[in-house]
Amino acid sequence: MKLKWSKLKQDKVRENKDAVRRPPADPALLTPRPPVVTIMGHVDHGKTTLLDKLRKTQVAAGEAGGITQHLGAFLVSLPSGEKITFLDTPGHAAFSAMRARGAHVTDIVILVVAADDGVMKQTVESIRHARDAQVPIVLAINKCDKAEADPERVRKELLAYEVVCEDYGGDVQAVDISARTGSNLTALAEATIALAEMLELKADPSGPVEGTVVESFTDKGRGPVTTAIIQRGTLRKGSILVAGKCWAKVRSMFDENGEVLREACPSMPVGIIGWKDLPSAGDEILEVESETRAREVVDWRKYEQEQEKTKDDLKVIEEKRKEHQEGHRKDRDQYGSLHWKERSYLKYQAKKEHKVFRPKEKVERDSNVLPIIIKGDVDGSVEAILDLVDTYDASHECKLDLVHFGVGDITENDVNLAETFGGVIYGFNVNASNAIQQSAAKKQVKIKLHKVIYRLVEDLQEELSIRLPCIVEEHPVGEASVLATFSVTEGKKKVPVAGCRVQKGQLEKRKKFKLIRNGHVIWKGSLTSLKHHKDDVSVIKTGMDCGLSLDEENIEFKVGDEMVCYEEKEVLAKTSWDPGF
Ligand code: GDP
């Protein structure tokens, strides 16, 4: 009996089948490798221009003469035979996204600062990111071809951020360049190589491959393609790789010129074809011994993710359950002594009132939270959407509540979560089967499928807007100027009257009015009388004179005042959130 129990327990806890990096290599096996460089700096300081120029120099040098492929990274060979790998996505956003995923690919940061602009916000952020990652900097002072360029000022300004150039006794190499004309780019490359030599960058080119995915995309003809930077070992055709929850048998490899590669050594950017699924940027690539082993690793990772997700979902559901209980308790307090039928009736009435304003929406007007579930085709797209959602500030009037996210088609679980939370499901490049659509319709859950990210964002903005309270807008109907003031006696009271001429539109007695003096609204309300000569009228048109009195007797008119007749219209509010497309 005892034996049986322990056997059962063993079955439940699955054995860890993950693949991991090898322990550090024997120093005797290490050989020098090229540095991997990321270009960072403030927007418009010339990062893209510099990358383009470096790439073109390489193509012009006739390395291959093929069509340049976008690989996310490219290799530059110097006349001296030295090589540098540049990551192709400038800016610190990509750098920190990779780091956040635990990928340490960059050896050196080239910090671009425009000599006509100096140190700016993102310059400082770039310095911080490089420092946090303990990656040394080479300074490229750009746009030195401009008359107003002042490279010395840049060197001085950077002292405040503890980036001390060699001229000032520090160890940061600074090169004055022009990315536009290409001047001094060789000096920049040489400075980078000099720094790389000091760093003694080395790797072990033997044994199973280790690397990092830099970019991944699906090519119509070739299927899932990744760009990787190899960090250890030498990649060859036929190698079996795992990355994230995907695996590949390398069918072919190519460089940024589309040239087929026979092998890829440490620090080389390489396009890899042969993936069964699409891994994500930042995923670690590891070579395993067989397809069976690759499947085992991927299965284990999927299993582990499921376990994590289930735990997370349970936590979320538990929190929701508590919220519900709290809601029930509040209901009881509010409608405490009532019979359940009376309670339901009151709630129904409350809902109906809200519906008057937004007849097409089932959303209650006071529901100022939008719970969302995000599903995408690959990690990359889900991450991109999450990054956008991250730009949503908690100070907005409607709260955005990310309930759940993941990769893959919409599932019954998503629909159930959306139902529990009263949320909306957003799918990017994924499907929702007919059965799921029907189930969602039954549960009154909205599923929104998109293929373009900005459409998805627009949709999200609309959903958020729907949940904002309506805005009351004033629409002028007519304007009149006060030409004379007098008062009439009504019983014992003296009522102030304004003699007006309608300048624009018309005054309609039943509508709302405001009195404006020196540009300030000093009264808003209704009229008690509107007369043309002695006759009571309901409308006075442009060019006509009239006498009018207000429902507020303490207001004295003055010649020169303006009376504006207007109507109020309720319009849907628009969220002020703009993720910056
Ligand atoms: P990024 O935002 O840092 O990638 O900056 P870009 O490379 O897009 O450059 C911003 C602007 O500066 C573009 O109009 C470039 O043509 C211009 N620019 C970039 N480098 C130079 C340079 O060395 N000299 C001059 N005069 N203009 C440059």
Coordinates of all heavy atoms in Angstrom, one line a residue, residues 488-535:
V488 N -39.6 96.7 -15.0 CA -41.0 96.8 -15.0 C -41.5 96.3 -13.7 O -40.9 95.6 -13.0 CB -41.6 95.9 -16.1 CG1 -41.3 96.4 -17.5 CG2 -41.2 94.4 -15.9
T489 N -42.7 96.9 -13.3 CA -43.2 96.5 -12.0 C -44.2 95.4 -12.2 O -45.1 95.5 -13.0 CB -43.9 97.7 -11.4 OG1 -43.0 98.8 -11.5 CG2 -44.2 97.5 -9.9
E490 N -44.0 94.3 -11.4 CA -44.9 93.2 -11.5 C -45.5 93.1 -10.1 O -44.7 92.6 -9.2 CB -44.2 91.9 -12.0 CG -44.2 91.8 -13.5 CD -43.5 90.6 -13.9 OE1 -43.2 89.7 -13.1 OE2 -43.1 90.5 -15.1
G491 N -46.7 93.5 -9.8 CA -47.2 93.5 -8.4 C -46.4 94.4 -7.6 O -46.2 95.6 -8.0
K492 N -45.7 93.9 -6.5 CA -44.9 94.8 -5.7 C -43.5 94.7 -6.1 O -42.7 95.5 -5.7 CB -45.0 94.3 -4.2 CG -46.3 94.7 -3.6 CD -46.3 94.2 -2.1 CE -47.7 94.4 -1.6 NZ -47.9 93.6 -0.4
K493 N -43.1 93.8 -7.0 CA -41.7 93.6 -7.4 C -41.3 94.5 -8.6 O -42.1 94.7 -9.5 CB -41.4 92.1 -7.8 CG -41.3 91.2 -6.6 CD -40.8 89.9 -7.0 CE -41.8 89.2 -7.9 NZ -41.5 87.9 -8.3
K494 N -40.0 94.8 -8.6 CA -39.4 95.5 -9.8 C -38.6 94.4 -10.5 O -37.6 93.9 -9.9 CB -38.6 96.7 -9.4 CG -39.4 97.9 -8.9 CD -38.6 99.1 -9.1 CE -39.6 100.3 -9.2 NZ -38.9 101.5 -9.7
V495 N -38.9 94.1 -11.7 CA -38.2 93.1 -12.4 C -37.3 93.7 -13.5 O -37.7 94.5 -14.3 CB -39.2 92.1 -13.1 CG1 -38.4 91.1 -13.9 CG2 -40.1 91.5 -12.1
P496 N -35.9 93.4 -13.4 CA -35.0 94.0 -14.4 C -35.3 93.4 -15.8 O -35.5 92.2 -15.9 CB -33.6 93.6 -14.0 CG -33.8 93.0 -12.6 CD -35.2 92.6 -12.5
V497 N -35.3 94.3 -16.8 CA -35.6 93.9 -18.2 C -34.4 94.4 -19.1 O -33.9 95.5 -18.9 CB -36.9 94.4 -18.7 CG1 -37.1 94.1 -20.2 CG2 -38.1 93.8 -17.9
A498 N -34.0 93.5 -20.0 CA -33.0 94.0 -21.0 C -33.6 94.2 -22.3 O -34.4 93.3 -22.8 CB -31.9 92.9 -21.1
G499 N -33.3 95.3 -22.9 CA -33.7 95.5 -24.3 C -32.6 95.1 -25.2 O -31.5 95.6 -25.1
C500 N -32.9 94.0 -26.0 CA -31.8 93.4 -26.8 C -32.1 93.4 -28.3 O -33.2 93.5 -28.7 CB -31.7 91.9 -26.4 SG -31.4 91.6 -24.7
R501 N -31.0 93.3 -29.0 CA -31.1 93.1 -30.5 C -30.4 91.7 -30.8 O -29.3 91.5 -30.4 CB -30.5 94.2 -31.3 CG -30.6 93.9 -32.8 CD -30.5 95.1 -33.7 NE -31.4 96.2 -33.3 CZ -31.1 97.5 -33.5 NH1 -29.9 97.9 -33.9 NH2 -32.0 98.4 -33.1
V502 N -31.1 90.9 -31.6 CA -30.6 89.6 -31.9 C -29.5 89.8 -33.0 O -29.9 90.3 -34.1 CB -31.7 88.6 -32.3 CG1 -31.0 87.2 -32.7 CG2 -32.7 88.4 -31.3
Q503 N -28.3 89.4 -32.8 CA -27.2 89.6 -33.7 C -27.0 88.3 -34.6 O -26.5 88.4 -35.7 CB -25.9 89.9 -33.0 CG -26.0 91.0 -32.0 CD -26.2 92.4 -32.7 OE1 -26.3 92.5 -33.9 NE2 -26.2 93.4 -31.9
K504 N -27.3 87.2 -34.0 CA -27.0 85.9 -34.8 C -28.0 84.9 -34.4 O -28.5 84.9 -33.2 CB -25.7 85.4 -34.2 CG -24.6 85.2 -35.3 CD -23.5 84.4 -34.7 CE -22.1 85.0 -34.8 NZ -21.1 84.3 -34.0
G505 N -28.4 84.1 -35.3 CA -29.4 83.0 -35.0 C -30.7 83.5 -34.5 O -31.2 84.6 -34.9
Q506 N -31.2 82.8 -33.5 CA -32.5 83.3 -32.9 C -32.5 82.9 -31.4 O -31.8 82.0 -31.0 CB -33.7 82.7 -33.6 CG -33.7 81.2 -33.6 CD -34.8 80.6 -34.5 OE1 -35.2 81.2 -35.4 NE2 -35.2 79.4 -34.2
L507 N -33.4 83.7 -30.7 CA -33.5 83.4 -29.3 C -34.8 82.6 -29.1 O -35.8 83.0 -29.7 CB -33.7 84.7 -28.4 CG -32.5 85.7 -28.5 CD1 -32.7 86.8 -27.5 CD2 -31.2 85.1 -28.4
E508 N -34.8 81.5 -28.5 CA -36.0 80.6 -28.3 C -36.2 80.6 -26.8 O -35.4 80.1 -26.0 CB -35.7 79.2 -28.8 CG -35.6 79.2 -30.3 CD -35.3 77.8 -30.9 OE1 -36.0 76.9 -30.4 OE2 -34.4 77.7 -31.7
K509 N -37.4 81.0 -26.4 CA -37.7 81.2 -25.0 C -37.5 79.9 -24.2 O -37.1 79.9 -23.0 CB -39.1 81.7 -24.8 CG -39.4 82.2 -23.4 CD -40.7 82.7 -23.2 CE -40.9 82.9 -21.6 NZ -42.3 82.7 -21.2
R510 N -37.9 78.8 -24.8 CA -37.9 77.5 -24.0 C -36.4 77.0 -23.8 O -36.2 76.1 -23.0 CB -38.7 76.5 -24.7 CG -40.2 76.6 -24.5 CD -41.0 75.5 -25.1 NE -40.7 75.4 -26.5 CZ -40.2 74.3 -27.0 NH1 -39.8 73.3 -26.3 NH2 -39.9 74.2 -28.3
K511 N -35.5 77.5 -24.6 CA -34.1 77.0 -24.5 C -33.4 77.6 -23.3 O -33.9 78.5 -22.6 CB -33.4 77.2 -25.8 CG -34.1 76.5 -26.9 CD -33.1 75.7 -27.7 CE -33.8 74.5 -28.4 NZ -34.1 74.6 -29.8
K512 N -32.1 77.2 -23.1 CA -31.3 77.8 -22.0 C -30.6 79.1 -22.5 O -30.3 79.3 -23.7 CB -30.3 76.8 -21.6 CG -30.9 75.5 -21.2 CD -30.0 74.8 -20.2 CE -30.8 73.8 -19.5 NZ -30.3 73.0 -18.5
F513 N -30.3 79.9 -21.5 CA -29.6 81.2 -21.8 C -28.4 81.4 -20.9 O -28.4 80.9 -19.7 CB -30.6 82.3 -21.6 CG -31.6 82.4 -22.7 CD1 -32.7 81.6 -22.8 CD2 -31.4 83.4 -23.7 CE1 -33.6 81.7 -23.9 CE2 -32.3 83.5 -24.8 CZ -33.4 82.7 -24.9
K514 N -27.5 82.2 -21.4 CA -26.4 82.7 -20.4 C -26.2 84.1 -20.7 O -26.3 84.6 -21.9 CB -25.2 81.8 -20.5 CG -24.5 81.6 -21.8 CD -23.4 80.6 -21.7 CE -22.8 80.3 -23.1 NZ -21.8 79.3 -23.1
L515 N -25.8 84.8 -19.6 CA -25.5 86.2 -19.7 C -24.0 86.4 -19.6 O -23.3 85.9 -18.6 CB -26.2 87.0 -18.6 CG -26.0 88.5 -18.5 CD1 -26.5 89.2 -19.8 CD2 -26.7 89.0 -17.3
I516 N -23.4 87.1 -20.6 CA -21.9 87.2 -20.6 C -21.6 88.7 -20.5 O -22.1 89.6 -21.2 CB -21.4 86.7 -21.9 CG1 -21.7 85.2 -22.0 CG2 -19.9 86.9 -22.1 CD1 -21.4 84.5 -23.3
R517 N -20.7 89.0 -19.5 CA -20.2 90.3 -19.3 C -18.7 90.3 -19.4 O -18.1 89.6 -18.6 CB -20.7 90.9 -18.0 CG -20.3 92.3 -17.7 CD -21.0 92.9 -16.5 NE -22.5 92.8 -16.7 CZ -23.4 92.8 -15.7 NH1 -22.9 92.8 -14.5 NH2 -24.7 92.8 -16.0
N518 N -18.1 91.2 -20.2 CA -16.6 91.2 -20.4 C -16.0 89.8 -20.6 O -15.0 89.5 -20.0 CB -16.0 91.9 -19.2 CG -16.5 93.3 -19.0 OD1 -16.8 94.0 -20.0 ND2 -16.6 93.7 -17.8
G519 N -16.7 89.0 -21.3 CA -16.1 87.7 -21.6 C -16.4 86.7 -20.5 O -16.0 85.5 -20.7
H520 N -17.0 87.1 -19.4 CA -17.3 86.1 -18.3 C -18.8 85.8 -18.2 O -19.6 86.7 -18.4 CB -16.8 86.7 -17.0 CG -15.4 86.9 -16.9 ND1 -14.5 85.9 -16.9 CD2 -14.7 88.1 -17.0 CE1 -13.2 86.5 -16.9 NE2 -13.4 87.8 -16.9
V521 N -19.1 84.5 -18.0 CA -20.5 84.1 -17.9 C -20.9 84.4 -16.4 O -20.3 84.0 -15.5 CB -20.6 82.6 -18.1 CG1 -22.1 82.1 -17.8 CG2 -20.2 82.2 -19.5
I522 N -21.9 85.3 -16.3 CA -22.3 85.7 -14.9 C -23.6 85.1 -14.5 O -24.0 85.2 -13.4 CB -22.3 87.2 -14.7 CG1 -23.2 87.9 -15.7 CG2 -20.9 87.8 -14.9 CD1 -23.4 89.4 -15.4
W523 N -24.3 84.5 -15.5 CA -25.6 83.8 -15.1 C -25.9 82.8 -16.2 O -25.6 83.0 -17.3 CB -26.7 84.9 -15.0 CG -28.1 84.3 -15.0 CD1 -28.8 83.9 -13.9 CD2 -28.9 84.1 -16.2 NE1 -30.0 83.4 -14.3 CE2 -30.1 83.5 -15.7 CE3 -28.7 84.3 -17.5 CZ2 -31.1 83.1 -16.6 CZ3 -29.8 83.9 -18.4 CH2 -30.9 83.3 -17.9
K524 N -26.5 81.7 -15.7 CA -27.0 80.7 -16.6 C -28.4 80.3 -16.2 O -28.6 80.1 -14.9 CB -26.1 79.4 -16.6 CG -25.0 79.4 -17.6 CD -24.3 78.1 -17.5 CE -23.3 78.0 -18.7 NZ -22.6 76.7 -18.7
G525 N -29.4 80.2 -17.0 CA -30.7 79.8 -16.6 C -31.7 79.9 -17.7 O -31.4 79.7 -18.9
S526 N -33.0 80.2 -17.3 CA -34.1 80.3 -18.2 C -34.7 81.7 -18.2 O -34.4 82.4 -17.2 CB -35.2 79.3 -17.9 OG -34.7 78.0 -17.7
L527 N -35.4 82.0 -19.2 CA -36.1 83.3 -19.3 C -37.5 83.2 -18.6 O -38.1 82.2 -18.7 CB -36.3 83.8 -20.7 CG -35.1 84.0 -21.6 CD1 -35.4 84.6 -22.9 CD2 -34.0 84.8 -20.9
T528 N -37.9 84.3 -18.0 CA -39.3 84.3 -17.5 C -40.2 85.0 -18.5 O -41.4 84.7 -18.6 CB -39.4 85.0 -16.1 OG1 -38.6 86.2 -16.2 CG2 -38.9 84.2 -15.0
S529 N -39.6 85.9 -19.3 CA -40.4 86.5 -20.3 C -39.6 86.9 -21.5 O -38.4 87.3 -21.4 CB -41.2 87.7 -19.8 OG -40.4 88.8 -19.8
L530 N -40.2 86.8 -22.7 CA -39.5 87.2 -24.0 C -40.6 88.0 -24.7 O -41.7 87.4 -25.1 CB -39.0 86.0 -24.7 CG -38.3 86.3 -26.1 CD1 -37.1 87.1 -25.9 CD2 -38.0 85.0 -26.8
K531 N -40.4 89.3 -25.0 CA -41.5 90.1 -25.6 C -40.9 90.8 -26.8 O -39.8 91.3 -26.8 CB -42.0 91.1 -24.6 CG -42.9 90.5 -23.5 CD -43.4 91.6 -22.7 CE -44.1 91.1 -21.4 NZ -45.5 90.9 -21.5
H532 N -41.8 90.9 -27.8 CA -41.5 91.8 -29.0 C -42.5 92.9 -28.9 O -43.8 92.6 -29.0 CB -41.7 91.0 -30.3 CG -41.4 91.8 -31.5 ND1 -40.2 92.5 -31.7 CD2 -42.1 92.1 -32.6 CE1 -40.2 93.1 -32.8 NE2 -41.4 92.9 -33.4
H533 N -42.1 94.1 -28.7 CA -43.0 95.2 -28.3 C -43.8 94.7 -27.1 O -43.2 94.4 -26.1 CB -43.9 95.7 -29.4 CG -43.0 96.1 -30.6 ND1 -42.1 97.1 -30.5 CD2 -43.0 95.7 -31.9 CE1 -41.5 97.3 -31.7 NE2 -42.0 96.4 -32.6
K534 N -45.1 94.7 -27.2 CA -45.9 94.3 -26.0 C -46.2 92.8 -26.0 O -46.8 92.3 -25.0 CB -47.2 95.1 -26.0 CG -47.0 96.6 -25.9 CD -47.2 97.0 -24.4 CE -46.8 98.5 -24.3 NZ -45.9 98.8 -23.3
D535 N -45.9 92.1 -27.1 CA -46.4 90.8 -27.3 C -45.4 89.7 -26.7 O -44.2 89.8 -27.0 CB -46.6 90.4 -28.7 CG -47.6 91.5 -29.4 OD1 -48.5 91.9 -28.7 OD2 -47.4 91.8 -30.6

